[in-house]
Each structure stands twice: as C-alpha cells, then as structure tokens.
Amino acid sequence: MPPYGEAPPYGAGQPPYMGGGGGGGGPSPQQSFGYPPGPAGPPQHFGYPPGPAGAPQQPIVTQPGMPPAQPQPGMGPGMGGGDWMSIPAGIPNCPRGLEYLTTIDQLLVKQKVELLEAFTGFETNNKFSIKNALGQKVYYAVEDNDCCTRNCCGPSRPFEMKVFDNYRQEVIHMHRPLACSACCFPCCLQSIEVSAPPGNVIGTIEQEWSICSPSFRILNHIGDTVLRIEGPLCTYSLCGDVEFNVVSLTGEKIGKISKQWSGLAREIFTDADFFGISFPLDLDVRMKAVLLGATFLIDAMFFEKSGNRETDGPGML
C-alpha cells in the first residue's frame, strides 16, 4: 500500500468497496467514501497542510508498517497508561483528534448510569465512554443541554454532544436540532451534524422518511450522500441486540451499529445503553466519526426513555 500523499486521486479507475481488506500481493482497492471523484480532489477545509507537492487529500487509513503508538508526554495522572489508548504516531493530514480512528475498525459505546435519573425519572445530561475492541478508552462524550429542555422535550430534545480525548480536549462536536421523528411529519425529520475539529463540519446524518423501518443517509462535508443506515422493523430490545446496518450506495453491507442487550435490570430501570459500531478499517476517519454521531442520534431516537417509560414501537409510528 503506498504511503500517505502518494495514492492516486479519487475516482481514478478504482472499483467500489467490496468488503474489508483481504490478502494478496498488491494493495487492496480503496473507496473514497465521502468525496466525489475528480482529478482536483475534494476541497480542503480542515486547516492541516496538504500532502507533498500539492497532492489531493486522500482517505485517512491505517498503513502497514506504521510506527507503533507511543505514550505522549504531558498526560494527566491515570490518563496515559493501560486505561487509555495511546495516540498513533506518524499520521499526516489527519484532523486533530481523529488519529485514534486510523487503527481501529470497531468502537464500543457505553452510557453511564445516572442514579438520580434511574430513581426519579428526572432527565440528566448523558455521558458516554467510548472504547476500542481491547477495552481501552478512546474518547468520552458529554451531552450539553439545559434542565428545562431535557425534561420538557424528552427524547426529541435538541442537544450539543462534546467528545473529548485523553488530553481533555474537545476533538469532535455534534449538534442535533429540535425536530420530529414521526412518519406523519416528513418535512421535519431528525438529523445530527458532526464537526472535527469543532467548527469544521465533516458530515451529517439525516433521517429518511419511512413508515415501516427507520433509515438514514450519511452525507459528507459538501452534502453528497455516501452511505446509508437501515434499521429493523421493531427497535424494541427484548433479550437481544438491535442492529442497524451500514450499507454502501449499491446496497452492500459494510458495517453495523448494534444496540446490545445490557441485562434485565439495566434495561428496565435505566436508559443507559451499550452500543457496538463496526466499519471497514480503511474507511475514511471522518466517516468513522460521523458513524459515531449516528450512534448518538439512534440512541436518542429509539432507546432514550422519557421518565423511565419505554417509547419504542413498531416501525416509525
């Protein structure tokens, strides 16, 4: 696989993504998720330098032979070793804070149990721990909202979601506006906007109008649809996982967002959920961050309780 900045431009005779990695003697074909083809490459709005000799921006992926991750100086006590994932080194042209996503193809999202909310039904700001497949912390996310909005609007409330790394720096920001998710309001459906670094939009998730099963489209920073998410007919979690498939524009499944069964007591008395996200290892890191935003939107729409009361139902009714 060629090093960063030397790959061919987007769309230069490359076939669409046909599954993960694979062996072989040559480099596996890359799909430019999130960017249209063309010799000029996508516009760069990320504030980091271009590749050598003005080469167009390429997808940020992991590469064979990349230097191993090293602990970084200046980490606070308890933040650098064992518990937290170390930041991968030697990755140019990557948005600040997304370097962690270059070496992983799976994220585990665990919502913190809020005792006040569990016992009283009084809505509090949600908090999430985001880990890799090895159980190392990658990020933590905190909802930013006011008390009145949380308790009056319930699961449909607007919010700002701030995602921090192990340096306690905000690296991803998500904005969910107030909207309706019912099928009888097709002109005011749910969405969430993802920025990385904060202030620099990298993608959006938009709900598609549907009666039977939920579906979403994933847009890149210029508004082109690059992926879709297809949900099940019933999103009620009864002693099993609920899966939302991530598919390409040709309908091929390339990943999934899975709401995992977290135990009877936790499911009944709290709305603290477990999610698993899987995606191709060579998927652009910006789209990986957008899929994380899709997880928070799906959680708010289908698994967030209102006053400890279940709101799940068949289809989008």
Side-chain angles (χ1 to χ4, degrees), residues 232-247:
L233 176 62
C234 182
T235 59
Y236 187 77
S237 178
L238 183 61
C239 299
D241 296 348
V242 181
E243 294 186 352
F244 292 75
N245 293 325
V246 181
V247 299

Side-chain angles (χ1 to χ4, degrees), residues 52-70:
Q57 183 66 39
Q58 302 298 327
I60 307 299
V61 297
T62 185
Q63 299 285 352
M66 187 179 64
Q70 299 293 334

Side-chain angles (χ1 to χ4, degrees), residues 70-256:
Q70 299 293 334
Q72 300 296 310
M75 289 185 180
M79 299 183 67
D83 196 24
W84 281 87
M85 176 182 176
S86 298
I87 184 171
I91 304 187
N93 304 331
C94 183
R96 177 178 56 84
L98 300 190
E99 297 92 344
Y100 303 93
L101 300 179
T102 60
T103 60
I104 57 180
D105 59 1
Q106 184 178 9
L107 288 173
L108 305 176
V109 181
K110 180 179 179 181
Q111 185 175 353
K112 180 182 177 183
V113 176
E114 299 290 346
L115 295 180
L116 175 63
E117 184 174 335
F119 287 113
T120 66
F122 185 84
E123 287 290 338
T124 58
N125 279 327
N126 292 327
K127 301 178 180 66
F128 300 86
S129 175
I130 303 163
K131 301 181 179 181
N132 61 16
L134 300 178
Q136 298 172 320
K137 293 181 183 178
V138 182
Y139 303 114
Y140 66 95
V142 179
E143 179 186 354
D144 185 10
N145 213 332
D146 62 86
C147 176
C148 180
T149 302
R150 288 195 307 271
N151 291 278
C152 292
C153 299
S156 297
R157 65 183 181 265
F159 61 73
E160 308 289 327
M161 188 71 71
K162 299 181 178 180
V163 181
F164 300 88
D165 63 4
N166 57 352
Y167 294 98
R168 301 183 183 180
Q169 296 177 333
E170 183 182 0
V171 294
I172 306 174
H173 187 94
M174 304 172 186
H175 168 68
R176 180 201 187 192
L178 179 64
C180 180
S181 59
C183 63
C184 52
F185 295 99
C187 60
C188 188
L189 298 178
Q190 294 285 338
S191 66
I192 190 168
E193 183 182 78
V194 182
S195 302
N200 187 47
V201 177
I202 60 172
T204 307
I205 302 96
E206 295 181 352
Q207 180 188 3
E208 296 179 330
W209 186 82
S210 174
I211 296 178
C212 297
S213 58
S215 62
F216 304 85
R217 56 178 173 266
I218 298 178
L219 286 66
N220 62 11
H221 69 290
I222 59 175
D224 293 334
T225 301
V226 293
L227 294 171
R228 295 184 66 254
I229 298 176
E230 299 176 348
L233 176 62
C234 182
T235 59
Y236 187 77
S237 178
L238 183 61
C239 299
D241 296 348
V242 181
E243 294 186 352
F244 292 75
N245 293 325
V246 181
V247 299
S248 66
L249 297 183
T250 60
E252 180 185 8
K253 179 180 175 181
I254 64 169
K256 66 180 179 179

Side-chain angles (χ1 to χ4, degrees), residues 266-286:
R266 191 181 182 109
E267 292 285 347
I268 293 178
F269 297 110
T270 75
D271 59 2
D273 300 311
F274 293 160
F275 286 90
I277 315 171
S278 62
F279 36 70
L281 185 64
D282 60 352
L283 182 64
D284 191 288
V285 290
R286 300 169 186 84

